[in-house]
Amino acid sequence: MFSTNLQLPASFTSDQNYQFEIRAAQIEDVPGLTEILADSFHSQEGLLGWAYPFLKLGIYEDLRNRLRTTTRHHICLIAADCTAKLAMKGSQNSDRLAAIVELSLRSKNPFTSDRFLYVSNLAVCRSYRRRGVAQHLLLKCEQIALLWGFQDLYLHVLENNYQAHQLYRKLGYQRHQVDFSWGTWLLGRPRQILLHKNLEVK
């Protein structure tokens, strides 16, 4: 859940004159958000393509459950293209989901009370990429973090996701640690890099 003083929604215009609105996700957004997440993080081709429908179903159920659970420090934000809505003079059903991101409080260690704010599930619909949508969602996460009283944000990025690395560097994220897993050692999968940004005004 989010506090009413988060000043949502917010809007911005991309350099292609698309008008986007950032708002908290609703249950009715889950099917569209599931499509964006599944397409961004899983392939429908190759040997594992047969598992795509099952992975998609898992994403749907997990996201729906998170949105239904009231948690003080969790929010799921979406960017919606409201260009068509404006053109149709206020039609409430003409906006399109463009991107998603989640912000939540996580534990550094299950045996301690240390917690940190973690950015996850940042994904942009293919037709809306390279329009600044991801950057605006991340900046909104920073605003919310400060309103919640946190000055540090963390997120993971795959080692070979060079476009994402470029965006995070631009916004001031720095490498915090490199995570290793069995998939890295046995299957040659790319490593997960944990990035950190301090939001304290200097």
Side-chain angles (χ1 to χ4, degrees), residues 28-196:
E28 56 266 28
D29 298 319
V30 171
L33 296 176
T34 299
E35 293 286 348
I36 295 174
L37 288 167
D39 182 61
S40 297
F41 297 123
H42 301 288
S43 174
Q44 300 185 56
E45 302 176 354
L47 295 176
L48 296 179
W50 63 270
Y52 185 82
F54 301 100
L55 295 169
K56 186 175 173 181
L57 178 60
I59 291 172
Y60 176 89
E61 293 295 339
D62 288 344
L63 182 58
R64 186 176 65 168
N65 288 336
R66 287 197 298 276
L67 291 184
R68 285 180 169 175
T69 302
T70 301
T71 304
R72 182 181 179 188
H73 292 116
H74 172 267
I75 188 169
C76 177
L77 297 175
I78 66 169
D81 175 11
C82 51
T83 307
K85 181 189 293 186
L86 294 174
M88 297 176 69
K89 298 181 180 180
S91 171
Q92 296 299 311
N93 299 314
S94 55
D95 60 339
R96 298 180 58 190
L97 300 181
I100 176 178
V101 69
E102 292 188 70
L103 183 65
S104 58
L105 195 61
R106 296 197 177 183
S107 297
K108 292 184 178 180
N109 187 313
F111 304 104
T112 69
S113 59
D114 293 337
R115 293 186 173 186
F116 62 96
L117 273 186
Y118 183 76
V119 177
S120 62
N121 287 334
L122 176 61
V124 181
C125 178
R126 288 178 185 268
S127 57
Y128 291 103
R129 292 175 183 173
R130 299 181 182 276
R131 293 178 181 170
V133 180
Q135 177 175 326
H136 279 87
L137 281 175
L138 287 169
L139 292 174
K140 178 56 68 173
C141 286
E142 293 182 15
Q143 294 176 14
I144 293 172
L146 291 172
L147 285 170
W148 283 348
F150 293 87
Q151 295 184 334
D152 295 279
L153 279 179
Y154 294 84
L155 59 83
H156 275 103
V157 61
L158 288 178
E159 186 178 29
N160 62 348
N161 191 343
Y162 305 113
Q163 185 175 339
H165 278 282
Q166 184 178 15
L167 170 63
Y168 298 139
R169 281 195 300 270
K170 176 182 176 181
L171 293 179
Y173 284 85
Q174 298 179 345
R175 179 179 293 204
H176 182 71
Q177 70 182 38
V178 179
D179 295 342
F180 294 93
S181 67
W182 287 110
T184 300
W185 291 104
L186 299 178
L187 303 177
R189 292 176 179 171
R191 297 178 297 177
Q192 290 250 4
I193 311 298
L194 182 64
L195 302 181
H196 164 253

Side-chain angles (χ1 to χ4, degrees), residues 2-47:
F2 59 91
S3 172
T4 55
N5 66 352
L6 292 183
Q7 300 178 357
L8 294 173
S11 62
F12 64 94
T13 303
S14 73
D15 54 5
Q16 291 88 357
N17 292 321
Y18 279 82
Q19 185 73 32
F20 292 97
E21 177 186 79
I22 296 177
R23 60 175 173 82
Q26 307 296 324
I27 289 295
E28 56 266 28
D29 298 319
V30 171
L33 296 176
T34 299
E35 293 286 348
I36 295 174
L37 288 167
D39 182 61
S40 297
F41 297 123
H42 301 288
S43 174
Q44 300 185 56
E45 302 176 354
L47 295 176

